[in-house]
Amino acid sequence: QPEFTETFWRYLDQRVSEQRVERGRALLAEQAPLFREIERRYGVQPRFLAAFWGLESNYGSAPGDYPVIAALVTLAYDARRGDFFRTQLLDALKILDRGDITLDRMTGSWAGAMGHVQFIPSTFEHYAVDEDGDGRRDIWDSLPDALASAANFLSRLGWDHNGTWGREVRLPADFNWELAGLDTRKTLAEWQALGVRSADGRDLPATGETASVLMPGGHAGPAFLVYKNFRVILNWNRSITYAIAVGHLADRLAGQGPLTAERPVAERPLSRNEVAELQERLLAKGFDPGPPDGIVGGRTRDALRAFQRHADLPADGYPSFEILEKLRTSEGG
């Protein structure tokens, strides 16, 4: 999945392009009555709903053309996640049995995500709604059903209609990198006292809201304060880069500009083999990242932070190519 294999900037550039922003703004104007009615009923602001729509299927232009049943049967046979996909297969058969969609029209992604908003069958079963009142929940060809289903899902997850997702911020030079991550929550006043400012240098809003600092590209990349709605987005898709892309696209649709952080001259993600090498080298130095499986999880990030502290480097836990090179060339590596 691109959320886990691409660099932050490459991922964002491809998903929050000027073309996607312009198309989203046009559709918000074109479908304004529908967006307003869905907001009234479910409490999800139009710009966010449109951002999910844009990220999931490029506003319905790329919903996937794999036969869902065949895809799920194939994945159910795969030992890695067989139980999960067997459950999805059974739910997909229930959808067909109920008559919400016919077999020939039940198409989606390679992993069984369907329609304008790319619901997997279990999400469809629990949250899809018949907004247009025709007796079927059709997220493939009924835009009212698709958008209202997405709004119902977000509402049931705890979406705050009065809140936003987060904001780009500027960190002080002496910022404690250990404070970055979703596990640390502070009020905006507390972050302000630690030197965190809005991206334009102004003070943070004077609210009692709590937030976390995230640095998806490491200490040299952009920084964000993220709020409650950001965590709701993560319940839709567990990728931090996806959640930031949704929030940033929503901001762009509302007229805000691009991010202000400087882009790196060159960047590239680590391959899975390189991540496994990084883990092996951390382990050899006494920093336990868990099994060298090539997947960057919390344990790997903790071990990487410990090594960075030991080497007097910014302890951001970010697995960059530069850190791998440091591990390769450091004494005893």
Side-chain angles (χ1 to χ4, degrees):
Q1 292 179 265
E3 291 88 350
F4 305 104
T5 60
E6 295 179 352
T7 63
F8 172 78
W9 283 113
R10 178 175 174 79
Y11 182 90
L12 197 72
D13 287 345
Q14 291 187 347
R15 285 151 189 83
V16 190
S17 64
E18 291 300 323
Q19 181 181 21
R20 185 164 290 178
V21 170
E22 291 174 8
R23 177 61 175 153
R25 289 173 179 169
L27 286 167
L28 279 169
E30 177 185 312
Q31 299 292 338
L34 174 60
F35 278 108
R36 284 197 298 269
E37 174 60 19
I38 291 175
E39 181 181 20
R40 184 190 68 80
R41 293 189 61 178
Y42 299 100
V44 179
Q45 306 95 310
R47 68 187 181 105
F48 284 104
L49 198 54
F52 277 100
W53 184 23
L55 262 290
E56 289 297 340
S57 68
N58 197 17
Y59 308 114
S61 67
D65 56 4
Y66 286 86
V68 167
I69 297 299
L72 293 175
V73 167
T74 301
L75 291 166
Y77 184 74
D78 190 326
R80 289 171 295 180
R81 298 186 68 193
D83 289 344
F84 172 79
F85 285 109
R86 278 189 286 275
T87 298
Q88 298 307 313
L89 174 60
L90 292 174
D91 281 338
L93 294 173
K94 292 176 186 176
I95 294 167
L96 287 172
D97 191 53
R98 191 180 298 107
D100 287 311
I101 193 74
T102 57
L103 179 62
D104 61 303
R105 290 177 54 231
M106 190 184 230
T107 56
S109 76
W110 64 270
M114 309 177 297
H116 282 272
V117 291
Q118 293 291 279
F119 275 5
I120 59 173
S122 60
T123 302
F124 182 102
E125 278 290 273
H126 287 99
Y127 302 104
V129 297
D130 174 21
E131 184 70 12
D132 61 16
D134 68 352
R136 296 181 296 109
R137 300 177 295 170
D138 183 1
I139 63 172
W140 293 265
D141 294 314
S142 169
L143 190 56
D145 285 7
L147 295 181
S149 295
N152 181 51
F153 184 30
L154 291 167
S155 177
R156 297 273 294 277
L157 288 173
W159 188 265
D160 179 6
H161 177 259
N162 297 313
T164 187
W165 70 279
R167 66 181 64 244
E168 186 185 9
V169 293
R170 185 182 299 176
L171 302 179
D174 61 350
F175 183 74
N176 179 1
W177 309 112
E178 306 281 345
L179 296 177
L182 291 171
D183 291 339
T184 300
R185 302 192 202 193
K186 295 181 180 295
T187 65
L188 297 193
E190 289 173 322
W191 287 121
Q192 172 82 16
L194 290 170
V196 179
R197 297 293 184 269
S198 295
D200 58 7
R202 292 186 296 179
D203 288 347
L204 299 175
T207 71
E209 191 164 14
T210 61
S212 299
V213 168
L214 295 181
M215 299 179 297
H219 72 279
F224 302 89
L225 275 179
V226 297
Y227 309 142
K228 173 187 174 184
N229 280 344
F230 183 86
R231 296 173 187 270
V232 173
I233 299 173
L234 288 177
N235 283 319
W236 181 304
N237 184 318
R238 297 301 301 174
S239 163
I240 283 175
T241 51
Y242 173 90
I244 290 174
V246 167
H248 183 51
L249 179 55
D251 287 347
R252 295 295 308 278
L253 294 179
Q256 295 186 33
L259 300 180
T260 64
E262 290 188 14
R263 294 167 177 264
V265 175
E267 62 169 359
R268 74 170 182 84
L270 295 181
S271 69
R272 186 160 182 168
N273 286 340
E274 287 172 332
V275 171
E277 180 190 348
L278 179 142
Q279 292 168 325
E280 290 169 353
R281 291 184 179 276
L282 284 171
L283 188 59
K285 291 181 177 296
F287 305 101
D288 185 6
D293 56 6
I295 299 172
V296 179
R299 194 169 170 183
T300 295
R301 292 186 186 277
D302 288 344
L304 186 51
R305 284 192 186 94
F307 166 74
Q308 290 168 323
R309 286 193 297 269
H310 175 76
D312 198 26
L313 299 170
D316 58 10
Y318 182 68
S320 66
F321 183 73
E322 290 73 19
I323 286 293
L324 177 58
E325 286 286 270
K326 183 73 173 179
L327 282 163
R328 286 169 173 170
T329 58
S330 61
E331 183 178 351

